[in-house]
Amino acid sequence: MTAELVRGQNHPLPEVRLEIRVAAGTPIVAGATLVDEHGRVRGVEWIAHPGAPTLPGIEVSQQAAADHRLAVDLDAVAPSVHRLTVLLALPSGTGGPARFGTVAAPFVAVTGLDGTEVASYTITDLEAESAVIALELYRRQGAWKVRAVGQGYAGGLAELLTDQGLPEAQQLAGRIHEAVARGLARSVATPPPRPPDTDRSRQTTAPAAGPDQAHGGTPPQGVTGSTSPQRGDRPTSPYGSTPPYGAHAATPPDHAAAQHGGPDPVDPSSGTHPAAPTAGGSVDYAHPRRRTTASPPPPPTARSAQPGQPAQPVAGDATGWSMDERLYNQVWGMFEDLSRTTAAYRSAVDFAESRMEQELDKVLSDPRSRIGGQGDAAREAARDKHAQLVDQARTALDRDLVQLRAEAEVVEPALPPAYASWDNPVWHGYRVPMEIPMALRLGDLRLPESEGVRIPMLVRLPLERGLWVDSGRSGSRDALVDADELRRLALDTAVSLAARLLAVHPPGEFAVHVVDAAGAASSALAPLVQTGVLAGPPAAGAAGASDVLGRLTQRVDLVQMAVRGDAADSLPPGLDTAEQLLIVNDFPHGFDDRAVTQLRYLADEGPAVGVHLMMVADRQDAVAYGPLLDPLWRSLLRLTPTPDDHLADPWVGHAWTYEPSSVPPGSRVLHHVLDRVADARRSWNR
């Protein structure tokens, strides 16, 4: 999965032969500098530019263009080169834009030779700058990494090259612009407007478009002002192959949804064909009978607001074939918006602290200014600058949070039952569905900086991993909760999740089994038992656990053999083909070595053939097994009955606080839903 970088973030490079792709809305100049271990460019021979496009290990374009492809071979660069920087600049004296603040934000991507993106970066918050260092590839402990820089220079190429220690920066900048002017007639024209694109990394709103975007001058290096979330640049398929919630998080699979707008479909049976192009227009060579797969309908247009104000949020403001898919994609967009704006804020705060420390160290290193009025004034100035930078970053964060909060208030009431929390009124009008939804809500996610904004945690169906509701102490919050109370909360969370899974599946499409070897969960399991939605009574004792595990293990074996032999019609007539969920309480009590082996087998092989596992357990209770059970715990998605910050996203490493979706105290909504499920199953079995 592509790493979408924010300013200052780095990412390892898996290979040394790469391509750097640059996309902008206007012709720009692309170049590269080679930098030694001291951060200096040793001479003009260490710079690749349109006048001298080739150096060992790097080749750049010979002219200004709206799109560039730079070829990189890191094995070919000299050993004395420790860093390779990619620079972009607007041509001077050509009548084009004079500053990046008036054009669309440049997009830079590092790809493999096969075109697979490794990392990407959209350079935002540029205003008066006419040159910018986009990326740098650098050595670290024998390996190469890429870092998003985004450092702009209002003085253009000359100032940029001077900052890199080149004495003849002015002369070289002049020669570069002359070379660009000579080749401008051959430069690539600005491409026509793209169709609606849901990839936010390539469709960036122009800076300084309104009060909902960052303002001010050039931010210092490392300070990242975030752009307010815009609904037009949402990704279509957010939950890709990389889990959005980190190593212990959900792993929702990719879903098929076209990402680009396209021509309206043509009905082959109608005999109509696309209208002929007008004079001077382009010819559509697409075969009319092959244009039957159109992109998803565009999202609804946001309600207009007062001039200069952000558009009012609209539920379903994302692409998709159905409202459920649009809401799913919109929730993902909210997650990504909150992740990015928080990353920008934290990056800015880190930069402010680093800068203050450097300035204080500089004061303390000079004996003349260490004491006395001059030193005190320097310290005060450093602290004031730190406070100013932090306040500026917080203002940008608060602006984005206001918009996200407003969007959440619109989206939450519009969610279908599978995505809704238990206190959503949609459950009071619940009806058993006839189709399996694309995702299920497991709880909510939030960040420390945004207590008022909670993002629904949705995972794709069918589940690709089992679930583990941790009944042990996992954080400082749990220190105040009694151990028995934690077990009760864990069981309530498991029952709530099982009820959700039953409620979102059509009748007969999902079955739940329970193993409660010690019989300690009878009160918590009462809603499932009393309504009759379980496949059978909870299994008690070692014999009951062995019987359930044996039947489910046999089912996995039979389905696997049928799938591998392409002989689905050879399954035994009485085999239940519905999805199966096994809830195991108080593991490992009542489990012998054979049962433990069967449990591990179900966790590993079951999800692929429709058998899922939900463990309610404290890992410390199974410590006697040592590392034998480590693969089991790692294979499950860990959830907690109380808020805990154990989930992380893979882009910027935020520690997200997970909070389970609980039934409101005193509410009968859970029993109401399970009664409906039981009635539908009885009608279906008649």
Side-chain angles (χ1 to χ4, degrees):
M1 180 177 179
T2 305
E4 298 180 358
L5 306 180
V6 297
R7 183 173 297 174
Q9 186 183 0
N10 60 47
H11 186 75
L13 294 174
E15 49 191 297
V16 294
R17 298 188 66 189
L18 304 162
E19 191 173 70
I20 299 175
R21 302 184 181 184
V22 181
T26 188
I28 61 173
V29 180
T33 62
L34 306 180
V35 184
D36 62 17
E37 67 275 14
H38 303 297
R40 297 289 179 180
V41 178
R42 295 186 179 180
V44 294
E45 67 277 4
W46 277 38
I47 301 176
H49 56 83
T54 304
L55 290 179
I58 178 70
E59 182 175 357
V60 303
S61 305
Q62 300 185 45
Q63 57 190 20
D67 296 284
H68 290 269
R69 292 192 177 189
L70 284 63
V72 177
D73 185 355
L74 297 174
D75 275 346
V77 301
S80 55
V81 174
H82 284 250
R83 191 163 72 244
L84 186 153
T85 65
V86 177
L87 57 92
L88 308 175
L90 293 169
S92 65
T94 61
R99 58 190 185 93
F100 278 110
T102 61
V103 299
F107 171 80
V108 187
V110 180
T111 74
L113 295 183
D114 59 354
T116 303
E117 285 191 7
V118 177
S120 64
Y121 174 43
T122 303
I123 311 170
T124 58
D125 301 318
L126 297 177
E127 287 291 341
E129 300 87 341
S130 58
V132 60
I133 296 178
L135 301 172
E136 63 178 17
L137 314 182
Y138 63 98
R139 300 182 195 262
R140 179 61 56 87
Q141 298 178 347
W144 285 90
K145 292 186 175 183
V146 57
R147 177 185 288 119
V149 179
Q151 176 64 56
Y153 295 86
L157 271 177
E159 183 182 356
L160 184 154
L161 297 173
T162 301
D163 191 47
Q164 295 204 345
L166 188 69
E168 52 271 68
Q170 288 282 357
Q171 297 86 336
L172 180 59
R175 292 201 297 271
I176 293 175
H177 287 304
E178 289 176 6
V180 170
R182 288 194 301 268
L184 194 58
R186 304 188 308 274
S187 64
V188 179
T190 304
R194 292 188 178 98
D197 191 344
T198 56
D199 186 351
R200 72 173 57 245
S201 61
R202 291 167 176 77
Q203 186 180 4
T204 308
T205 54
D212 59 322
Q213 292 181 314
H215 288 272
T218 305
Q221 184 174 357
V223 178
T224 307
S226 63
T227 305
S228 297
Q230 302 293 333
R231 292 285 74 83
D233 48 7
R234 278 280 157 79
T236 297
S237 179
Y239 297 148
S241 57
T242 301
Y245 304 119
H248 295 289
T251 317
D254 229 356
H255 63 84
Q259 294 191 7
H260 301 284
D264 293 332
V266 177
D267 185 0
S269 63
S270 65
T272 59
H273 297 272
T278 58
S282 59
V283 179
D284 186 355
Y285 292 100
H287 194 289
R289 295 186 181 274
R290 296 179 184 173
R291 298 175 60 197
T292 57
T293 55
S295 298
T301 305
R303 294 190 295 272
S304 61
Q306 296 296 327
Q309 297 295 326
Q312 297 298 315
V314 177
D317 189 7
T319 57
W321 291 103
S322 65
M323 188 61 176
D324 286 2
E325 185 176 358
R326 289 182 173 184
L327 288 168
Y328 172 82
N329 291 334
Q330 186 173 13
V331 167
W332 165 252
M334 294 165 62
F335 172 84
E336 188 182 50
D337 285 340
L338 183 56
S339 179
R340 291 192 179 196
T341 191
T342 304
Y345 170 73
R346 293 180 179 179
S347 176
V349 172
D350 290 344
F351 171 80
E353 292 177 353
S354 174
R355 174 172 176 163
M356 183 178 68
E357 291 175 0
Q358 292 176 4
E359 292 178 352
L360 292 177
D361 289 344
K362 184 177 180 180
V363 172
L364 295 175
S365 65
D366 189 352
R368 294 171 297 180
S369 60
R370 191 174 301 163
I371 57 176
Q374 183 180 356
D376 293 341
R379 295 185 187 93
E380 189 64 25
R383 295 188 182 98
D384 289 345
K385 185 62 177 177
H386 171 269
Q388 178 186 353
L389 293 174
V390 172
D391 290 344
Q392 179 182 350
R394 186 70 213 192
T395 299
L397 175 65
D398 290 341
R399 180 194 63 223
D400 291 349
L401 292 181
V402 167
Q403 187 169 348
L404 280 170
R405 196 174 294 112
E407 183 174 14
E409 292 173 355
V410 172
V411 170
E412 189 69 39
L415 294 177
Y419 305 169
S421 59
W422 284 113
D423 57 0
N424 193 312
V426 72
W427 285 108
H428 296 287
Y430 166 77
R431 293 184 179 181
V432 177
M434 291 296 103
E435 294 182 354
I436 300 175
M438 65 186 303
L440 180 80
R441 185 173 187 160
L442 297 184
D444 295 328
L445 296 171
R446 55 183 168 84
L447 291 170
E449 294 87 350
S450 56
E451 290 291 335
V453 180
R454 284 173 167 77
I455 309 297
M457 179 179 173
L458 304 181
V459 296
R460 294 294 298 270
L461 292 179
L463 296 173
E464 288 192 341
R465 303 171 65 184
L467 305 176
W468 166 31
V469 183
D470 191 352
S471 60
R473 299 187 186 277
S474 58
S476 58
R477 298 182 184 89
D478 294 346
L480 305 176
V481 184
D482 180 73
D484 293 336
E485 178 67 8
L486 271 178
R487 291 191 179 93
R488 185 190 68 78
L489 292 174
L491 280 169
D492 289 345
T493 301
V495 170
S496 171
L497 293 171
R500 277 182 173 275
L501 285 164
L502 284 165
V504 302
H505 282 81
E509 294 286 334
F510 199 84
V512 177
H513 310 263
V514 176
V515 171
D516 183 23
S522 56
S523 60
L525 294 171
L528 299 176
V529 176
Q530 293 172 1
T531 54
V533 295
L534 294 179
S546 177
D547 177 62
V548 173
L549 290 171
R551 285 189 283 111
L552 291 178
T553 300
Q554 183 183 34
R555 182 190 185 282
V556 171
D557 290 338
L558 290 173
V559 176
Q560 278 188 340
M561 287 188 290
V563 171
R564 291 169 182 169
D566 196 18
D569 54 349
S570 64
L571 288 170
L575 184 72
D576 185 4
T577 57
E579 298 274 317
Q580 309 287 315
L581 173 69
L582 173 61
I583 302 176
V584 177
N585 179 50
D586 228 7
F587 176 81
H589 300 298
F591 281 73
D592 55 20
D593 290 345
R594 183 171 182 272
V596 170
T597 301
Q598 289 176 319
L599 197 68
R600 287 186 55 186
Y601 177 73
L602 291 179
D604 292 339
E605 304 294 335
V609 291
V611 177
H612 311 284
L613 184 62
M614 184 190 297
M615 302 273 291
V616 184
D618 180 359
R619 188 170 182 173
Q620 290 302 315
D621 292 342
V623 70
Y625 285 92
L628 177 67
L629 292 181
D630 285 350
L632 172 64
W633 305 117
R634 286 196 298 267
S635 68
L636 304 175
L637 168 60
R638 177 174 172 257
L639 305 174
T640 54
T642 58
D644 188 75
D645 56 355
H646 65 283
L647 300 178
D649 67 67
W651 299 302
V652 289
H654 290 327
W656 291 80
T657 297
Y658 166 79
E659 190 170 347
S661 180
S662 304
V663 178
S667 173
R668 298 282 301 173
V669 64
L670 185 68
H671 295 78
H672 166 74
V673 169
L674 291 177
D675 285 339
R676 290 290 186 90
V677 171
D679 290 343
R681 294 179 69 173
R682 284 191 289 268
S683 300
W684 180 78
N685 287 326
R686 287 175 184 170

